[in-house]
Amino acid sequence: MKKLPVIIDCDPGHDDAIALIAALASEKLEVLGVTAAAGNQTVDKTEKNARKVLEICARTDIPVAKGRGKPLWNPLSVAPEIHGDSGMDGPVLPEPSMPVCREPAAALMARLVEESPEPVALIVTGPCTNTAVFLLSYPHLWKKIAKISVMGGGAFEGNRTALAEFNIWTDPEAARIVLESGIPVEIYGLDVTHKALIYREEFALFREREGMVFQFLADLLDFFGGTYLEARKFPGAPMHDSCAVIGLTNPELFTYVETDMSVETESPRSRGALTMDLRPAAGKKPSVCGKIALDVDREKFLQVLLGACETITRQRREKGYAS
Ligand code: RIB
Ligand code: CA
């Protein structure tokens, strides 16, 4: 089967880490590179966390580049109340030994896209800062971007404000550049990611399994599920970022509505809100190049994540690593 080449722009981040595992395990994706964004934590922390995840997955062959240290316009506002001071509190991991790329994120994206024989899909699970810098800096490469899958926003929900979701709110200008580029965009917003929930009683499905990867994911769920319970009274851990990955590998699990989208950037009250037109006739416009996911088959989604841990565990064993 021909794999879809992808670059993952992320801000690990507990759910980003789980999304990376899902992407690395999929036989449908070829992860060309990972770029770290400033979001959940500073970019120095998110890039280190990204390298830690690749090392656990025995994929130090994949380059990790550090992105911009702050949003295009806003000051950076990190989320230690959800992800802790390291950005990935909970699991106890060694310092990464693989090097970080010398190239900045946008330059790595450009090199990987240029080198790829096939169009590349971008998966964005943090603020869109790096992806926007890439698009603005390399317009001649837009024709080699197959699509952009974004975890962000929400048709009917916000979490950083009543109207805005954290990734889009952190850098609304960057999100607007991505959404208005005309490149096909898939949005996985809070409407669907809050349904992609692993319930607390299901954490045991990972904890009870042998091997470092299952235990790593269980540690992530324990911490992330704990902060979501304390801060937002959630009965489990929402797998926000894995939606942007599994939407590419298993689109049949999701329900979508076609609509062009953008971001409100002018009003201080609604800044960062995702804008769209869901009226029935609106989606029929010839210019529509966006779709938003509004529902997911949660049980099958959970099975994909369990299967991903199984796959990475097997791959580690085949490479001679302790499982
Ligand atoms: O609002 C959820 C998003 O913000 C997720 O990507 C999470 O990792 C945080 O970055
Ligand atoms: Ca994220």
Side-chain angles (χ1 to χ4, degrees):
M1 169 197 307
K2 188 180 263 191
K3 293 191 172 192
L4 173 65
V6 299
I7 298 169
I8 302 175
D9 189 26
C10 54
D11 62 339
H14 294 71
D15 55 327
D16 302 75
I18 296 168
L20 283 171
I21 290 172
L24 294 170
S26 174
E27 62 186 14
K28 297 178 184 174
L29 303 181
E30 180 189 3
V31 180
L32 302 177
V34 174
T35 53
N40 285 326
Q41 264 298 346
T42 62
V43 70
D44 288 333
K45 294 178 178 180
T46 60
E47 72 83 4
K48 182 182 288 189
N49 292 336
R51 285 188 285 147
K52 288 181 178 180
V53 176
L54 290 187
E55 289 195 348
I56 286 177
C57 296
R59 291 304 307 273
T60 55
D61 56 301
I62 294 175
V64 174
K66 184 172 154 183
R68 193 172 144 87
K70 70 178 290 294
L72 298 184
W73 192 265
N74 275 352
L76 178 63
S77 172
V78 296
E81 75 282 0
I82 298 294
H83 297 277
D85 184 59
S86 73
M88 205 163 70
D89 281 15
V92 177
L93 302 168
E95 286 300 291
S97 55
M98 69 178 282
V100 65
C101 250
R102 293 168 55 86
E103 298 152 300
L108 176 64
M109 287 172 157
R111 175 167 65 83
L112 294 172
V113 169
E114 279 176 329
E115 291 172 353
S116 174
E118 299 294 330
V120 175
L122 305 181
I123 300 174
V124 188
T125 66
C128 295
T129 312
N130 298 331
T131 301
V133 170
F134 164 72
L135 293 178
L136 292 176
S137 308
Y138 303 94
H140 67 290
L141 294 178
W142 291 22
K143 60 182 177 294
K144 283 198 70 183
I145 304 300
K147 63 175 77 171
I148 306 176
S149 179
V150 179
M151 189 282 136
F156 308 107
E157 295 193 49
N159 60 7
R160 198 65 182 79
T161 72
L163 296 175
E165 175 277 329
F166 178 80
N167 288 340
I168 309 298
W169 175 88
T170 297
D171 199 338
E173 283 75 19
R176 190 168 173 184
I177 289 164
V178 171
L179 293 175
E180 294 188 0
S181 66
I183 298 170
V185 171
E186 306 184 3
I187 285 277
Y188 297 86
L190 299 175
D191 319 286
V192 72
T193 68
H194 283 166
K195 296 174 183 171
L197 199 72
I198 300 182
Y199 288 101
R200 298 188 65 78
E201 56 271 22
E202 294 171 324
F203 294 2
L205 296 173
F206 297 87
R207 183 61 77 192
E208 69 194 15
R209 299 291 299 274
E210 292 291 313
M212 183 183 289
V213 178
F214 280 103
Q215 296 307 304
F216 172 56
L217 206 142
D219 290 342
L220 290 170
L221 291 174
D222 283 346
F223 186 90
F224 189 54
T227 57
Y228 253 84
L229 177 62
E230 186 177 337
R232 307 211 173 130
K233 306 296 179 265
F234 268 50
M239 295 292 97
H240 300 293
D241 295 333
S242 292
C243 288
V245 169
I246 299 173
L248 297 187
T249 60
N250 299 83
E252 71 282 1
L253 302 187
F254 293 84
T255 305
Y256 298 92
V257 171
E258 284 192 345
T259 177
D260 280 335
M261 291 164 277
S262 186
V263 178
E264 217 297 294
T265 56
E266 308 304 323
S267 154
R269 285 181 181 279
S270 54
R271 183 165 162 72
L274 187 68
T275 64
M276 67 196 76
D277 188 342
L278 296 184
R279 288 173 299 175
K284 303 295 179 284
K285 287 188 304 189
S287 67
V288 168
C289 61
K291 65 181 186 178
I292 183 168
L294 294 179
D295 204 352
V296 63
D297 182 325
R298 193 196 73 85
E299 284 70 29
K300 290 181 178 173
F301 182 92
L302 174 58
Q303 291 308 314
V304 171
L305 290 181
L306 284 163
C309 286
E310 188 64 57
T311 299
I312 300 292
T313 299
R314 174 175 50 75
Q315 290 173 348
R316 280 182 55 89
R317 204 166 39 241
E318 288 168 353
K319 292 179 180 179
Y321 290 89
S323 58

